[in-house]
Amino acid sequence: MKFSVSMKQVLVAVFRNRNLQVRAEPNKPNHNDFKCLDKAAIGEEEHGSKDPWKACTGRQVEEVKQLARMLPMWLTVIIYSVTLAQGGTFFVKQSSTMDKSLGPHFNIPPASTLAIVIIATLIAVSAYDRLLVPIAARITGTERGITILQRIGAGLVFIILAMVIAALVETKHLKIAQAHGLMDKPQAVPISVFWLALPNVVLGIVDAFALVGLQEFFYSQILDSMRSLGVASNLTANGIGSFVSSLFIHIVNNVTGKMGHRWLLDNLNTSRLNKFYWLLVVLNAFNLLAFIFIARRYKYKSLT
């Protein structure tokens, strides 16, 4: 049976059995999360119904519960994805307005700065597996060292750090542009593009924790019958994050434009990109708090 049909049956059965009471079973663990969904499985018990749209199996109910447990976690990925998208957009645009020379005869292509993220990710993943996990395993007494959610949470901390560094680098960029009278001129500012290596390296660490952790979470925590949905959930969250990023930039420009000066212009020397990064720091801080609140209450998958 396709999961989409099964989920619809559970929701319909919950509505049809809304006036029935769930009987407590003394020998069965009593989980308090999404107890309303348990009504989908009591139609057969109470009335001997064989209608799948009125009496669902306990496994069907647990599948929908597991999806409901993961949904809040999925929502926290969107802000993370919005922030991560800046590495491939504004970071590249920043590099085009900086000194890209590497020696007297070679200039670094702006987009190639993204290679720093990839290299940093590879190094960070190796360091995580070979250094952090053994050390954490000795401390916690578990084979994994830290849980999946702790790994994701660490990534969300590092993405805040990445935006703090990016804001400080852009502030330095604007000060140098002002000192050289380039605030209103769309030309390169005499500040090395390698300053952007700092936030890019941290973004690589973010990928080693949050990106890998999210892939593992959505794959391992989804039930076997929904594995393809778990993989799609992670990709969908990243895709929505990229879309929301464009919408978010449009909203920020409209709001700041009404305040007198748009933050994000074609000429970054005139923009206030540093303020935009600080805004992302604040949003990610709230997102981290929401993630911690959800993670502390999350119940790991019990079915196999």
Side-chain angles (χ1 to χ4, degrees):
M1 182 184 297
K2 292 183 178 179
F3 173 71
S4 59
V5 175
S6 178
M7 181 173 65
K8 292 176 184 177
Q9 288 178 340
V10 170
L11 297 179
V12 170
V14 168
F15 177 78
R16 295 178 68 179
N17 298 337
R18 62 190 181 277
N19 294 323
L20 300 179
Q21 297 296 321
V22 180
R23 291 183 301 179
E25 299 182 30
N27 297 326
K28 184 178 179 181
N30 184 25
H31 299 302
N32 293 323
D33 59 337
F34 308 107
K35 290 183 66 174
C36 62
L37 294 177
D38 291 335
K39 292 188 176 184
I42 62 178
E44 183 175 2
E45 299 173 3
E46 298 294 332
H47 301 294
S49 174
K50 300 295 183 180
D51 183 358
W53 296 89
K54 187 176 179 64
C56 300
T57 65
R59 184 176 183 86
Q60 283 180 276
V61 173
E62 185 59 29
E63 286 178 344
V64 177
K65 279 189 175 185
Q66 186 63 19
L67 195 64
R69 294 183 191 111
M70 296 177 69
L71 180 60
M73 204 68 66
W74 182 85
L75 292 175
T76 64
V77 179
I78 295 178
I79 295 296
Y80 155 81
S81 299
V82 168
T83 309
L84 205 62
Q86 310 315 314
T89 53
F90 282 121
F91 280 19
V92 174
K93 193 170 184 179
Q94 277 179 279
S95 65
S96 65
T97 64
M98 303 172 80
D99 180 10
K100 299 175 289 295
S101 61
L102 183 63
H105 305 295
F106 182 75
N107 286 333
I108 301 174
S112 66
T113 56
L114 295 177
I116 298 175
V117 179
I118 299 174
I119 296 172
T121 301
L122 294 175
I123 296 174
V125 168
S126 299
Y128 177 88
D129 291 332
R130 295 183 177 273
L131 297 177
L132 180 60
V133 170
I135 294 173
R138 285 196 294 268
I139 296 174
T140 62
T142 60
E143 183 179 355
R144 296 181 58 94
I146 62 176
T147 66
I148 301 175
L149 294 181
Q150 287 172 339
R151 182 173 188 171
I152 296 171
L156 297 184
V157 171
F158 277 113
I159 204 167
I160 295 174
L161 177 61
M163 289 299 102
V164 169
I165 296 174
L168 295 175
V169 169
E170 180 58 19
T171 300
K172 181 178 180 67
H173 170 261
L174 292 177
K175 287 182 178 179
I176 295 176
Q178 184 177 23
H180 287 78
L182 299 175
M183 291 292 290
D184 298 321
K185 299 177 182 178
Q187 63 187 73
V189 175
I191 176 175
S192 175
V193 72
F194 286 103
W195 278 99
L196 287 178
L198 299 175
N200 276 317
V201 166
V202 180
L203 284 183
I205 298 174
V206 170
D207 285 346
F209 281 90
L211 183 62
V212 177
L214 285 166
Q215 290 174 346
E216 185 178 5
F217 174 79
F218 284 111
Y219 185 79
S220 67
Q221 289 303 296
I222 205 76
L223 300 177
D224 292 342
S225 59
M226 302 185 288
R227 279 285 162 79
S228 59
L229 180 63
V231 175
S233 297
N234 190 28
L235 296 175
T236 302
N238 290 328
I240 293 177
S242 297
F243 172 78
V244 173
S245 177
S246 300
L247 179 63
F248 180 59
I249 290 171
H250 178 72
I251 293 173
V252 168
N253 261 343
N254 279 347
V255 173
T256 55
K258 293 177 181 178
M259 295 170 61
H261 189 286
R262 290 196 299 167
W263 285 0
L264 307 171
L265 302 168
D266 291 334
N267 178 12
L268 289 188
N269 295 343
T270 310
S271 301
R272 297 295 181 269
L273 186 57
N274 56 336
K275 294 182 179 181
F276 178 71
Y277 287 152
W278 284 119
L279 177 59
L280 288 176
V281 168
V282 174
L283 291 178
N284 277 280
F286 281 112
N287 190 56
L288 175 62
L289 293 176
F291 174 85
I292 294 173
F293 178 83
I294 295 167
R296 287 174 63 88
R297 289 157 178 78
Y298 180 77
K299 183 167 73 73
Y300 282 91
K301 182 183 74 172
S302 57
L303 288 184
T304 57

